[in-house]
Amino acid sequence: MARTTKAPPTPAFNVALVGQSGRLGYEAMLLVASLRAKSPNFAGRVLIAEPQPGPLWSKDPRMTEDVRDALAAMDAEVVPFDSVHFGEAYPYGNKIEMLTALPKDTPFVFFDSDTLITGDLMSVPFDFDYPSASLRREGTWPQIELYGPGYGEIWKSLYDAFGLDFDSSLDMSEPDEYWQRYLYFNAGFFFGNCPYVFGTKFLEYALAIRDTPPAALVCQSLDPWLDQVALPLVIHALGGGRDSAVHDHLDGPVSCHYRLLPLLYARESEAVIDTLEEIAAPNKIKKVLKGYDPIKRMVFQGRGEKVRALFDQNDMPRREQAIRNRIKSNGFWMR
């Protein structure tokens, strides 16, 4: 349930995402193209954070020149950053390390690169002093083990580790030991009023959890969940939470975190598919996108339509894994 207080007018803000060699660069093109098509009045900067070569990357992680040129033609700016703590071993750490390279003291919205903007971003009632993140998630972490700590003990140990008030983070409308009682986000989007403040705390918490986890986490995997374990703690520490009006807009009529193209065609709305095919159609975009095989086959060669035909949109499997398995068993899985 969103907060009912009337939000002040939305200040100017920047959009940030990660772009690097391979899939993420092409996805960044799609995200920026969709933003320009669906939010023509967006006046902020579009910042593509790009990891630079270094000891934590075995290959050059930078985008190819044709992708960079295509992004520049859409008025997106490439912001370089160094991978000091994560790199290739934990690429999800890019979204943590890139934040302090963004302009300080300017509100920001981060989107995972595998996102399309499907409506007017300027219509979203952001309250940047109340940070939040995506609620389009399943109960992926923690995985409760027989005779091991429960949800409450695990999450409380993390709040205690950073001197945070645990009780005020709980959704008391949900039952004890049910995963949605505890503050948990997908890191597909998040926002705040200063990327440097947000990123500094995100890095502090993520490194502490990775390097010196509380004893209650002894049975828990942090790969790939580390960012989503630290994120709710950061948001809570900065005075935010789950009760944001943005959730009626993002992961809804204004944005779609599709994750992978086969999943997009399998489960997203016709409006999302239409957006994808519309923005990919111009020749100057298409000739670059064809350099990435999944886009070429799914969007331009009709494989996406074949994936769509495998599912009844009115009777979709409840779990994502079942959707993935059906696509794979029919030979259409690509990433």
Side-chain angles (χ1 to χ4, degrees), residues 230-303:
L231 182 58
L233 305 171
V234 174
I235 287 173
H236 187 68
L238 295 177
R242 62 176 68 78
D243 300 325
S244 172
V246 304
H247 299 302
D248 293 331
H249 303 263
L250 301 182
D251 291 333
V254 175
S255 72
C256 174
H257 183 205
Y258 60 87
R259 305 274 299 283
L260 294 162
L261 287 174
L263 292 176
L264 184 155
Y265 278 98
R267 66 184 179 185
E268 303 301 347
S269 69
E270 291 292 341
V272 172
I273 295 173
D274 289 346
T275 295
L276 170 64
E277 297 185 347
E278 170 195 335
I279 63 172
N283 283 331
K284 62 184 179 180
I285 296 287
K286 181 189 294 187
K287 68 180 182 180
V288 181
L289 292 175
K290 282 185 173 180
Y292 182 55
D293 207 44
I295 294 179
K296 181 173 72 174
R297 296 188 182 279
M298 285 281 161
V299 179
F300 302 124
Q301 296 182 352
R303 186 172 289 190

Side-chain angles (χ1 to χ4, degrees), residues 15 49 55 66 81 96 121 134 140-142 166-167 173 218 256 270 285 287 299 314 331:
V15 165
D66 59 343
F81 72 94
I96 302 173
L121 195 60
S134 173
T140 47
W141 194 95
F166 174 63
D167 290 343
S173 69
V218 65
C256 174
E270 291 292 341
I285 296 287
K287 68 180 182 180
V299 179
N314 297 313

Side-chain angles (χ1 to χ4, degrees), residues 2-277:
R3 296 193 303 170
T4 57
T5 54
K6 186 176 180 180
T10 300
F13 63 95
N14 296 328
V15 165
L17 58 148
V18 174
Q20 65 183 80
S21 61
R23 174 169 62 91
L24 268 65
Y26 295 101
E27 290 174 347
M29 284 182 58
L30 292 173
L31 195 162
V32 176
S34 68
L35 173 66
R36 296 310 188 198
K38 300 300 181 180
S39 297
N41 295 322
F42 175 68
R45 297 164 68 184
V46 180
L47 305 171
I48 315 295
E50 182 187 57
Q52 300 300 291
L56 298 186
W57 297 100
S58 62
K59 298 178 181 178
D60 190 339
R62 292 175 294 186
M63 294 176 287
T64 58
E65 283 302 315
D66 59 343
V67 170
R68 293 169 68 93
D69 290 345
L71 290 167
M74 294 184 283
D75 293 323
E77 305 171 47
V78 174
V79 178
F81 72 94
D82 293 322
S83 301
V84 179
H85 301 284
F86 298 109
E88 191 172 330
Y90 186 69
Y92 299 98
N94 281 340
K95 69 181 70 175
I96 302 173
E97 293 200 77
M98 57 85 86
L99 289 168
T100 55
L102 303 181
K104 293 182 179 180
D105 301 322
T106 302
F108 75 98
V109 182
F110 170 86
F111 289 104
D112 266 350
S113 304
D114 48 357
T115 299
L116 292 177
I117 303 303
T118 51
D120 182 8
L121 195 60
M122 300 305 293
S123 71
V124 179
F126 290 106
D127 178 355
F128 290 102
D129 292 328
Y130 184 84
S132 193
S134 173
L135 291 175
R136 189 180 184 184
R137 78 284 194 233
E138 297 178 344
T140 47
W141 194 95
Q143 292 294 310
I144 303 303
E145 301 290 338
L146 187 63
Y147 306 122
Y151 286 100
E153 183 179 350
I154 290 169
W155 279 115
K156 187 175 187 303
S157 73
L158 288 162
Y159 283 77
D160 289 348
F162 300 107
L164 303 175
D165 180 64
F166 174 63
D167 290 343
S168 62
S169 73
L170 300 175
D171 181 353
M172 301 304 288
S173 69
E174 299 288 357
D176 192 29
E177 291 301 312
Y178 179 60
W179 70 270
Q180 285 187 307
R181 184 181 178 93
Y182 310 93
L183 198 61
Y184 188 55
F185 299 105
N186 185 293
F189 78 77
F190 52 83
F191 61 90
N193 59 17
C194 174
Y196 188 85
V197 171
F198 197 110
T200 300
K201 195 165 290 292
F202 205 171
L203 182 62
E204 175 194 348
Y205 288 5
L207 291 178
I209 294 166
R210 183 192 70 179
D211 298 338
T212 56
L217 272 63
V218 65
C219 298
Q220 300 298 323
S221 172
L222 292 170
D223 190 355
W225 312 116
L226 178 62
D227 61 329
Q228 293 188 181
V229 177
L231 182 58
L233 305 171
V234 174
I235 287 173
H236 187 68
L238 295 177
R242 62 176 68 78
D243 300 325
S244 172
V246 304
H247 299 302
D248 293 331
H249 303 263
L250 301 182
D251 291 333
V254 175
S255 72
C256 174
H257 183 205
Y258 60 87
R259 305 274 299 283
L260 294 162
L261 287 174
L263 292 176
L264 184 155
Y265 278 98
R267 66 184 179 185
E268 303 301 347
S269 69
E270 291 292 341
V272 172
I273 295 173
D274 289 346
T275 295
L276 170 64
E277 297 185 347

